[in-house]
Amino acid sequence: MGRSLAFLLPALLLAATVESLLTVRPDCQESCGGVDIPYPFGIGAGCFRPGFEITCLNNTMPVLPASTGVVRVLTLLVMPRPEARVMLPVSWTCYNSAGNTTAVSLDGRVNFNKDNVYRISNTHNQLFVLGCNTFVYTMSWCTAHCNDPLSAMYTLYSGCTTYCNDSRSAQDGACAGVGCCHVDIPPGIGDNLMKFDTWSRVGKEFSPCDYAFIVEKGSYTFRAADLHMEKHTRLPLRLDWAIRDSNVNSTASLSCAQLSQGNSTSCVSDHSECVDSTNGPGYVCNCTKGYEGNPYLPHGCTSKLPLHL
Ligand SMILES: *[C@@H]1O[C@H](CO)[C@@H](O)[C@H](O)[C@H]1NC(C)=O
Ligand SMILES: *[C@@H]1O[C@H](CO)[C@@H](O)[C@H](O)[C@H]1NC(C)=O
Ligand SMILES: *[C@@H]1O[C@H](CO)[C@@H](O)[C@H](O)[C@H]1NC(C)=O
Ligand SMILES: *[C@@H]1O[C@H](CO)[C@@H](O)[C@H](O)[C@H]1NC(C)=O
Ligand SMILES: *[C@@H]1O[C@H](CO)[C@@H](O)[C@H](O)[C@H]1NC(C)=O
Ligand SMILES: *[C@@H]1O[C@H](CO)[C@@H](O)[C@H](O)[C@H]1NC(C)=O
């Protein structure tokens, strides 16, 4: 018994190692700058599903092919949940002593989602607003029917209001309305456009700019000094993703129920299953219980090694 296990173990480990390599399409790059790139993500023609392209800048930095700016990718997950973590610039607006807008940054509005696969995770991010007598809200376009011009309007909102009295009123670590506010966001947001509104700006020269950003929970703590934040600051954001294939004759994304009626599916591995997206329309694939790997690749889901070995 002991002897046969000792004989089997190396073979099992070897098999597991070989199988764990099956996360990308054949002949595709597995990682970039230390970040794994599992299919449906991929680098280069034939390596990614439409919408899931990753660019490997200088062969060292994975980025989303955004049409504006550089959206650096920190991690990409297929299992156990569909997730991507990226760095996005903060949005800001600055005012003069008369309260008139002097400068606006559009950098925060990175168009990282032109193929509609991403949604900003509502469970893992929060919206922060830093500033003085300001109201900022986020607007989202393209929650469904993205190619339908009639639906192309901003529908989802979340925002909060900051007050300030004097230069000393904001306190480090306190983000409850004085100099800083934060709020949960709803599901379905696929854009990061911020709308700034301000009042009673006169005499508030100590806080010339307002900032707004959606950031991963737990990764930002307010400091009063951030009322003068470096304007090129980038902060981590968690994205959910899903397969949002359309029916031939409609722009509506397919759900698992529709797929089970015989439409082609992306869950191509044996021991894989379809799971409806929890953030936005569409679906994701999962390996069934007892299996792990990549359900988007043929034979991608493999049996888990028994834990008691
Ligand atoms: C890529 O390399 C070029 C030349 O070495 C450099 O100028 C550029 O900043 C690099 N880009 C990134 C994103 O590292
Ligand atoms: C501020 O804007 C208002 C309205 O646009 C304008 O009348 C006023 O001259 C501006 N003030 C300054 C100091 O730019
Ligand atoms: C606001 O500032 C004024 C003058 O600087 C001060 O008298 C007042 O106590 C401050 N109020 C609060 C709530 O801090
Ligand atoms: C799509 O529309 C075409 C033309 O109207 C029709 O022939 C076809 O059956 C439709 N396909 C589906 C899947 O509904
Ligand atoms: C595919 O999905 C559509 C709904 O989007 C459904 O009407 C159709 O019956 C499904 N099956 C086939 C074989 O097209
Ligand atoms: C995939 O299945 C595992 C258990 O087999 C579960 O823990 C996980 O939440 C599932 N993922 C999704 C996206 O449903």
Side-chain angles (χ1 to χ4, degrees):
M1 170 70 185
R3 191 183 143 83
S4 64
L5 255 188
F7 174 76
L8 264 176
L9 204 48
L12 282 172
L13 288 178
L14 183 63
T17 311
V18 168
E19 279 161 3
S20 72
L21 291 179
L22 194 58
T23 58
V24 298
R25 282 199 162 170
D27 303 323
C28 292
Q29 197 171 330
E30 280 168 40
S31 67
C32 169
V35 175
D36 289 338
I37 315 287
Y39 190 80
F41 298 97
I43 297 166
C47 290
F48 56 89
R49 208 177 189 289
F52 291 89
E53 180 173 10
I54 301 294
T55 302
C56 193
L57 270 192
N58 281 1
N59 221 24
T60 54
M61 192 205 276
V63 301
L64 300 183
S67 55
T68 52
V70 170
V71 182
R72 192 174 137 212
V73 173
L74 301 175
T75 54
L76 298 172
L77 274 190
V78 167
M79 291 271 286
R81 59 188 174 274
E83 181 186 293
R85 293 173 64 243
V86 300
M87 295 294 282
L88 281 194
V90 301
S91 297
W92 49 264
T93 298
C94 296
Y95 307 90
N96 61 17
S97 57
N100 289 2
T101 303
T102 55
V104 173
S105 165
L106 299 176
D107 291 350
R109 198 187 175 197
V110 179
N111 185 1
F112 63 87
N113 200 21
K114 53 187 185 302
D115 292 307
N116 193 31
V117 304
Y118 300 105
R119 292 292 181 272
I120 295 175
S121 167
N122 58 305
T123 52
H124 291 103
N125 301 292
Q126 281 186 318
L127 169 66
F128 277 80
V129 175
L130 275 52
C132 200
N133 295 351
T134 250
F135 172 57
V136 176
Y137 54 96
T138 178
M139 316 199 287
S140 184
W141 178 72
C142 192
T143 58
H145 312 288
C146 289
N147 302 322
D148 174 0
L150 290 178
S151 316
M153 49 189 188
Y154 295 93
T155 48
L156 293 167
Y157 306 94
S158 181
C160 63
T161 303
T162 68
Y163 297 92
C164 65
N165 190 27
D166 57 40
S167 59
R168 292 181 310 261
S169 46
Q171 300 289 323
D172 286 358
C175 186
V178 180
C180 177
C181 63
H182 67 287
V183 69
D184 283 346
I185 57 169
I189 297 183
D191 199 346
N192 60 331
L193 175 62
M194 303 286 182
K195 181 88 174 73
F196 288 76
D197 219 336
T198 192
W199 73 94
S200 185
R201 208 76 207 187
V202 178
K204 309 293 188 203
E205 295 83 1
F206 57 86
S207 177
C209 302
D210 295 334
Y211 305 84
F213 46 88
I214 301 176
V215 63
E216 195 169 27
K217 279 183 188 171
S219 67
Y220 176 74
T221 304
F222 175 65
R223 296 174 308 142
D226 287 344
L227 290 170
H228 300 269
M229 182 181 265
E230 156 61 38
K231 297 216 170 52
H232 298 291
T233 302
R234 287 169 179 266
L235 292 165
L237 180 76
R238 265 231 229 163
L239 302 173
D240 297 324
W241 56 264
I243 308 291
R244 300 190 219 275
D245 284 345
S246 305
N247 184 340
V248 192
N249 290 341
S250 121
T251 55
S253 298
L254 294 170
S255 66
C256 292
Q258 289 163 325
L259 289 173
S260 64
Q261 291 163 20
N263 288 290
S264 74
T265 165
S266 293
C267 311
V268 296
S269 179
D270 2 300
H271 309 293
S272 73
E273 63 188 358
C274 182
V275 180
D276 279 325
S277 166
T278 53
N279 192 357
Y283 65 91
V284 296
C285 305
N286 203 357
C287 294
T288 53
K289 207 166 160 37
Y291 289 82
E292 62 188 353
N294 192 325
Y296 300 94
L297 293 169
H299 313 298
C301 293
T302 53
S303 181
K304 284 187 189 175
L305 282 178
L307 285 177
H308 59 264
L309 256 185

